[in-house]
């Protein structure tokens, strides 16, 4: 059910499920026969921001660092590139990195909070890109 607004208030429906893992494994407990779902091979984004500094234009900015990380290094070995989609106010808001040694790092400066999208492309062309989101707050 989508967002509904009316005279008695509002309600939010269930959002679209975002996939952040490549595989989902169902394990059966031999003693009970119950199926316990476990997720593994999770890929995620991590960010850090420096203390604010006053830039030459008088705007307070922070140095921002975003990396791609995963439950296992072998999973990161499967990644070919990451395409970061910054807020449209950034110069060059779409940035691509293939820097596997530095966990596909994105370094930039920012003055506000925003949602970052990252498309993760794999070396295996049969694996569809994985889209991740990260709310960048400072």
């Amino acid at each position: 059910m989508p967002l509904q607004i009316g005279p008695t208030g509002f309600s939010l429906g269930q959002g679209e499920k975002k996939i952040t893992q490549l595989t989902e494994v169902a394990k059966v407990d031999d003693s009970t026969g119950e199926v316990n779902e476990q997720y593994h091979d999770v890929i995620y984004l991590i960010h850090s921001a420096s203390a604010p500094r006053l830039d030459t234009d008088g705007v307070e900015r922070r140095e921002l660092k975003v990396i791609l990380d995963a439950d296992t290094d072998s999973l990161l070995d499967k990644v070919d590139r990451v395409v970061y989609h910054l807020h449209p106010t950034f110069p060059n808001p779409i940035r691509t990195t293939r820097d596997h040694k530095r966990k596909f790092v994105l370094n930039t400066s920012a003055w506000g909070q925003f949602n970052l999208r990252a498309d993760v492309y794999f070396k295996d062309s049969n694996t569809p890109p994985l889209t991740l989101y990260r709310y960048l707050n400072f």
Side-chain angles (χ1 to χ4, degrees), residues 14-84:
Q14 184 173 353
E16 176 185 332
K17 183 179 177 183
K18 301 294 182 198
I19 296 182
T20 59
Q21 65 280 333
L22 291 179
T23 56
E24 177 179 335
V25 177
K27 292 195 176 187
V28 178
D29 184 338
D30 292 331
S31 62
T32 64
E34 292 183 58
V35 176
N36 299 313
E37 291 185 1
Q38 287 189 327
Y39 297 96
H40 68 93
D41 292 342
V42 177
I43 296 177
Y44 46 89
L45 296 170
I46 299 173
H47 79 276
S48 64
S50 69
R53 64 172 170 72
L54 200 57
D55 212 341
T56 56
D57 60 1
V59 176
E60 193 175 86
R61 290 193 172 79
R62 297 170 187 261
E63 294 304 312
L64 176 64
K65 179 179 181 179
V66 181
I67 63 167
L68 183 72
D69 208 350
D71 287 345
T72 63
D73 288 337
S74 63
L75 186 56
L76 286 180
D77 290 339
K78 298 176 183 180
V79 175
D80 176 57
R81 68 188 181 281
V82 177
V83 179
Y84 292 103

Side-chain angles (χ1 to χ4, degrees), residues 114-130:
F114 63 97
N115 282 313
L116 172 76
R117 186 179 99 213
D119 296 325
V120 180
Y121 291 85
F122 297 92
K123 294 173 184 174
D124 174 7
S125 60
N126 294 324
T127 303
L130 182 65

